[in-house]
Amino acid sequence: MDPLDLHLPRQVGARALEWLDRCHGSLALDPAVPWYEIDEPSLGALAELALAAATVRRESVGSPETARTADRLLAFSWRQFHEGELLYELQRQTPAATYPMEIYSPLAALGYRHRALDRLLAHLSATRAAQVPEHSPGRRLAVAAAARRIGLPGHHDLAELTRRTWLGGVPEPWMLDGRGAHGVTRTVFHLTDRGADPAGLPAHLQRYLHQWLPAWLQAFTEARSWDLLGELLAVGACLEQPLFHAEAWAALAQAQQADGMLPGGATRPPSGPERAFRSHHPTITAAVAGTLALSRAIGSPRAAGVAS
């Protein structure tokens, strides 16, 4: 990316993070609600917040205030999870479930640890059941990625799982639709740990994305599908030779509201912060995509070390 264009991912990412910081209080869990009655959207929103903040903190390419904001959001998420006790209880009561481990993993990678949960996850990962989950290949890649972040041994044939995903099949590029695009982004994110290990994506898939990602970015720009556009821009930043698309970044920056929120598409987003946060994933995407693009574009020590 031309240095003159760096202000676009920096602006988009910073404004998105500021919006998340202003609105994160709406995600606080009701302390009167027991763990078994917490609804999935509430947990999912907190998990997305933690993942975005963890990515920003990991890359460390923003201003000191950006780092403080990420730390604040991480600390908030950890408190909402009762310093891991809530996730431990969810995992203990539903041992076959993988979502508590997936929520925990980005926090654990940054040092937010719960010893009893670590012991329980180590025990569960050694069971025969852990080797034969009834999950799609993409879901199994997600579980494998979470295990790697926590430091657990893997039982997955990543090459075989990757081959069975939409991206792994290297389909005709014009067959990509919204669902397939989401699958592509998840495959890339899981294999590269959201850009921490670009070499985790096989070389032939890197070549495939370099060939067709620009056309997909143009298509989703024209469709004004801002959530998918942001995710595909993040995919470009996860490649060993990062791929940037100035026109797509300009469109994303123009679509972003003055307060930092990114709508999902052409429709007007909800006005209330709680509904907006729970209903609109794009602002999370914008914070992550902006961070990854900025990190790879300026050649941060982490990105340069991984790519070498």
Side-chain angles (χ1 to χ4, degrees):
M1 179 180 291
D2 187 277
L4 295 176
D5 293 329
L6 287 181
H7 76 279
L8 292 175
R10 180 183 287 114
Q11 170 187 298
V12 169
R15 287 182 175 177
L17 192 67
E18 290 169 4
W19 187 88
L20 296 174
D21 189 34
R22 285 195 302 273
C23 298
H24 74 269
S26 66
L27 299 185
L29 299 176
D30 185 344
V33 175
W35 66 269
Y36 50 84
E37 290 184 5
I38 298 175
D39 60 276
E40 184 177 339
S42 296
L43 283 175
L46 276 172
E48 291 284 358
L49 179 70
L51 182 58
T55 303
V56 173
R57 199 65 185 88
R58 183 193 74 194
E59 295 301 325
S60 298
V61 292
S63 66
E65 180 55 36
T66 296
R68 286 191 291 269
T69 300
D71 285 339
R72 189 159 54 244
L73 295 178
L74 285 167
F76 168 79
S77 301
W78 190 236
R79 287 195 304 273
Q80 293 305 303
F81 293 133
H82 302 171
E83 287 74 41
E85 189 66 22
L86 172 59
L87 299 176
Y88 169 70
E89 196 63 32
L90 289 168
Q91 190 69 78
R92 188 175 71 87
Q93 296 293 338
T94 56
T98 61
Y99 70 90
M101 178 178 73
E102 293 176 64
I103 293 173
Y104 179 55
S105 65
L107 290 159
L110 289 178
Y112 293 87
R113 290 280 185 168
H114 186 281
R115 292 185 179 181
L117 180 54
D118 282 335
R119 290 193 295 269
L120 177 58
L121 291 173
H123 168 72
L124 293 174
S125 70
T127 62
R128 294 189 299 276
Q131 301 179 43
V132 288
E134 293 288 342
H135 292 160
S136 68
R139 289 290 309 122
R140 294 187 71 177
L141 286 178
V143 173
R148 287 197 304 274
R149 281 192 291 267
I150 295 171
L152 297 172
H155 305 291
H156 308 274
D157 184 340
L158 294 183
E160 174 60 17
L161 291 177
T162 302
R163 186 186 65 79
R164 292 168 56 198
T165 64
W166 193 97
L167 177 61
V170 290
E172 296 81 1
W174 55 86
M175 292 296 289
L176 186 77
D177 58 8
R179 182 174 182 177
H182 275 295
V184 167
T185 64
R186 293 304 176 270
T187 297
V188 173
F189 294 159
H190 297 326
L191 289 175
T192 68
D193 193 9
R194 290 186 179 254
D197 179 22
L201 186 68
H204 72 288
L205 297 184
Q206 304 245 6
R207 292 191 295 270
Y208 178 78
L209 288 171
H210 266 279
Q211 184 174 6
W212 296 113
L213 187 56
W216 296 341
L217 287 167
Q218 182 177 346
F220 284 106
T221 297
E222 293 173 357
R224 303 178 68 186
S225 181
W226 309 125
D227 189 25
L228 270 174
L229 183 63
E231 292 204 349
L232 290 172
L233 284 168
V235 163
C238 289
L239 304 179
E240 285 193 275
Q241 297 297 322
L243 191 154
F244 306 107
H245 196 290
E247 290 182 5
W249 271 112
L252 202 70
Q254 187 174 10
Q256 190 175 35
Q257 296 183 168
D259 63 0
M261 182 184 181
L262 189 71
T267 58
R268 183 183 297 276
S271 56
E274 182 175 356
R275 284 191 62 208
F277 204 114
R278 294 173 188 270
S279 302
H280 285 264
H281 175 265
T283 310
I284 291 280
T285 299
V288 172
T291 296
L292 293 178
L294 183 61
S295 176
R296 300 307 304 284
I298 67 176
S300 72
R302 163 174 282 277
V306 170
S308 61

